[in-house]
């Protein structure tokens, strides 16, 4: 089988590529990535040594380039991870989010239609459901929860989901959609909460917690997400949405304190800063559909996953230090300088 993975030089896409290369050595993996600030070819250095892996630097919005790659590689399945993924950046500058996340998805699906009804999987997010109140732990996002987005990022992801489901109904394109909660693990770009706090704590820099730190996220180890996507692509029902999450809700402040403990750093590094605009209060996924229908269960506990993650960042300092010492410095200054 030839599988085309977009956004494979980013966090989850790269973990997915290594998962596929390990589990299906007979498959060919084609990666398409524009290598934006979030894409890093060094992440794929071990994959690039493999005969059954090929990399194309291309923009998913570039119809001509994408069609050429389809013609040459003839993929049987496309898994779309490529996206602008950071909520804060979408608040500062929404346009590229609409372009990549919506129009890029459309180009990929058009290519799937044109080159033989190729199976298409859209990697989406729980953020399309908006947020839940902090004082109603009984409420969870199901696949029936109405779409109610808060940020330009989540609105663009919701638009892409709807477009994918429209291509299923209108053109019969074999589509599935997954909506996962917050991932953590190796190769997570340092702009996001967990790697940012690790990188800052290592450097004894302030740990910037938005608002009161009481917002809740539902954390899943990235490998468990990869396994869920693989199951959906191979066994999921076409035209369906699957929620993915591991019932692991944590307050941001508790995550940051845990990282301080893991790294033996004082909590006095924590600095409460101005809140994110439109900041979603709580995410919590009900994964019962994927468990019931496809037998998926998360395998890595948070205690194990966070330890593995901290260890990975400590043993791969060159990977993230190169990032935080580059263009990222300007981003950090702009985002946190006067906060
Ligand atoms: P990321 O920002 O780490 O990686 C995105 C990758 O896409 C990068 O390699 C980047 O170069 C590439 N890319 C961006 N624009 C492109 C374009 N126009 N053409 C080709 N490539 C392009 O993101 P991530 O955290 O790995 O997220 C991957 C996907 O999973 C996204 O669609 C995101 O919405 C979704 N998701 C993420 C999480 C999470 O917690 N990180 C949770 C649920 C869903
Ligand atoms: O839920 C899935 C989503 O999770 C994905 O769709 C997104 O692509 C991914 O980026 C992530 O979105 P979040 O906004 O939840 O992740 P982020 O790491 O940016 O923030 C997590 C929480 O931590 C959020 O409540 C904001 C807070 N935060 C974040 C940063 C970067 C801070 O308090 N301080 C920070 O410096």
């Amino acid at each position: 089988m030839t599988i085309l993975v977009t956004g494979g030089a980013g966090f989850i896409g790269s973990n997915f590529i290594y998962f596929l290369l390990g589990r299906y050595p007979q498959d060919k993996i084609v990666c398409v990535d524009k290598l934006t600030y979030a894409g890093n070819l060094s992440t794929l250095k071990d994959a690039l040594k493999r005969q059954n892996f090929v990399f194309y630097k291309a923009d998913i919005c570039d119809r001509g380039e994408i069609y050429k790659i389809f013609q040459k590689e003839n993929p049987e399945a496309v898994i779309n991870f490529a996206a602008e993924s950071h909520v804060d950046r979408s608040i500062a500058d929404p346009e590229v989010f609409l372009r990549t996340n919506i129009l890029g998805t459309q180009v990929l699906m058009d290519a799937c239609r044109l080159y033989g009804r190729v199976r298409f999987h859209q990697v989406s997010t729980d953020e399309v459901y908006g947020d839940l109140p902090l004082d109603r732990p009984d409420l969870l996002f199901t696949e029936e929860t109405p779409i109610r987005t808060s940020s330009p990022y989540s609105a663009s992801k919701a638009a892409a989901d709807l477009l994918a489901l429209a291509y299923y109904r209108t053109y019969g394109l074999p589509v599935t959609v997954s909506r996962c909660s917050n991932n953590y693990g190796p190769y997570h770009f340092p702009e996001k909460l967990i790697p940012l706090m690790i990188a800052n704590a290592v450097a004894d820099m302030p740990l910037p917690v938005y608002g009161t730190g009481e917002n809740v996220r539902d954390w899943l180890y990235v490998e468990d997400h990869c396994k869920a996507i693989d199951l959906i692509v191979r066994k999921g029902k076409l035209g369906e949405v699957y929620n993915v999450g591991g019932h692991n809700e944590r307050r941001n402040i508790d995550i940051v304190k845990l990282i301080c403990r893991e790294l033996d750093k004082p909590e006095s590094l924590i600095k409460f800063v101005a809140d994110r605009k439109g900041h979603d209060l709580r995410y919590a996924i009900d994964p019962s559909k994927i468990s019931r229908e496809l037998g998926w269960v998360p395998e890595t506990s948070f205690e194990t996953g966070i330890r593995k993650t901290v260890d990975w960042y400590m043993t791969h300092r060159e990977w993230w230090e190169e990032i935080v010492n580059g263009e990222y410095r300007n981003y950090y200054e702009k985002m946190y300088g006067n906060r």
Side-chain angles (χ1 to χ4, degrees):
M1 191 168 179
T2 298
I3 302 174
L4 191 147
V5 176
T6 69
F11 166 43
I12 309 176
S14 59
N15 277 281
F16 186 68
I17 285 171
Y18 285 117
F19 170 78
L20 289 183
L21 288 171
R23 178 162 291 189
Y24 306 104
Q26 72 288 359
D27 284 353
K28 180 173 183 189
I29 314 301
V30 178
C31 174
V32 173
D33 197 296
K34 186 181 176 184
L35 298 180
T36 67
Y37 79 91
N40 193 340
L41 203 52
S42 80
T43 300
L44 293 173
K45 68 176 187 306
D46 290 329
L48 287 161
K49 293 178 193 150
R50 301 278 292 259
Q51 294 283 325
N52 58 336
F53 176 79
V54 49
F55 178 82
Y56 291 91
K57 182 177 187 309
D59 184 339
I60 58 166
C61 302
D62 185 338
R63 197 172 282 276
E65 273 303 303
I66 294 299
Y67 284 11
K68 261 196 246 162
I69 295 168
F70 270 68
Q71 206 156 22
K72 175 140 194 278
E73 299 292 348
N74 212 5
E76 287 146 274
V78 173
I79 326 290
N80 183 26
F81 292 92
E84 289 293 335
S85 68
H86 193 35
V87 173
D88 292 328
R89 290 188 193 250
S90 84
I91 294 167
D93 186 8
E95 189 151 326
V96 68
F97 284 75
L98 308 190
R99 186 175 169 276
T100 291
N101 299 1
I102 307 173
L103 297 178
T105 303
Q106 186 215 354
V107 167
L108 291 171
M109 291 194 297
D110 283 344
C112 288
R113 285 176 62 209
L114 197 65
Y115 292 92
R117 290 166 56 81
V118 178
R119 181 86 170 70
F120 181 80
H121 181 74
Q122 175 65 3
V123 181
S124 186
T125 168
D126 59 358
E127 297 201 14
V128 302
Y129 300 122
D131 61 355
L132 295 163
L134 292 174
D135 60 355
R136 289 289 308 274
D138 54 312
L139 295 181
L140 304 174
F141 295 137
T142 73
E143 290 81 0
E144 311 308 323
T145 301
I147 300 286
R148 190 179 65 91
T149 57
S150 312
S151 70
Y153 162 71
S154 56
S156 69
K157 293 296 289 183
D161 283 18
L162 297 179
L163 199 60
L165 297 172
Y167 269 54
Y168 169 73
R169 168 125 185 207
T170 304
Y171 304 117
L173 187 74
V175 163
T176 41
V177 175
S178 54
R179 295 181 180 146
C180 190
S181 60
N182 287 63
N183 286 212
Y184 67 101
Y187 301 116
H188 205 179
F189 195 81
E191 68 192 347
K192 308 286 168 52
L193 179 76
I194 289 179
L196 184 146
M197 295 301 165
I198 296 173
N200 282 19
V202 166
D204 295 312
M205 281 166 61
L207 307 177
V209 173
Y210 298 166
T212 61
E214 280 162 24
N215 302 59
V216 169
R217 295 293 181 265
D218 184 358
W219 294 95
L220 184 72
Y221 193 62
V222 62
E223 197 181 347
D224 281 323
H225 185 193
C226 295
K227 289 177 181 165
I229 293 171
D230 181 51
L231 265 179
I232 297 167
V233 171
R234 286 166 204 267
K235 299 196 181 134
K237 213 169 140 215
L238 298 180
E240 294 281 316
V241 173
Y242 292 90
N243 281 356
V244 184
H247 289 299
N248 181 40
E249 292 179 53
R250 310 266 162 170
R251 296 187 314 166
N252 294 339
I253 187 66
D254 296 329
I255 297 272
V256 178
K257 286 182 177 173
L258 176 62
I259 290 171
C260 288
R261 279 200 298 281
E262 288 289 330
L263 290 170
D264 205 15
K265 295 288 179 179
E267 288 180 10
S268 56
L269 286 175
I270 295 173
K271 183 183 169 205
F272 291 95
V273 300
D275 210 352
R276 174 184 278 174
K277 289 192 176 75
H279 197 173
D280 280 336
L281 290 172
R282 170 176 165 251
Y283 303 147
I285 279 277
D286 174 356
S288 50
K289 178 176 171 179
I290 189 170
S291 300
R292 195 176 56 245
E293 292 187 11
L294 305 180
W296 178 86
V297 279
E299 290 166 29
T300 303
S301 71
F302 188 67
E303 288 63 31
T304 304
I306 198 75
R307 197 144 298 144
K308 277 167 83 167
T309 303
V310 171
D311 284 351
W312 188 88
Y313 278 85
M314 297 315 291
T315 51
H316 292 75
R317 285 180 69 148
E318 72 296 342
W319 182 86
W320 57 268
E321 280 177 345
E322 199 179 317
I323 295 170
V324 299
N325 291 324
E327 171 56 29
Y328 181 81
R329 273 175 196 254
N330 297 332
Y331 163 80
Y332 196 87
E333 182 50 35
K334 206 169 114 195
M335 206 54 101
Y336 295 93
N338 294 317
R339 198 155 185 160

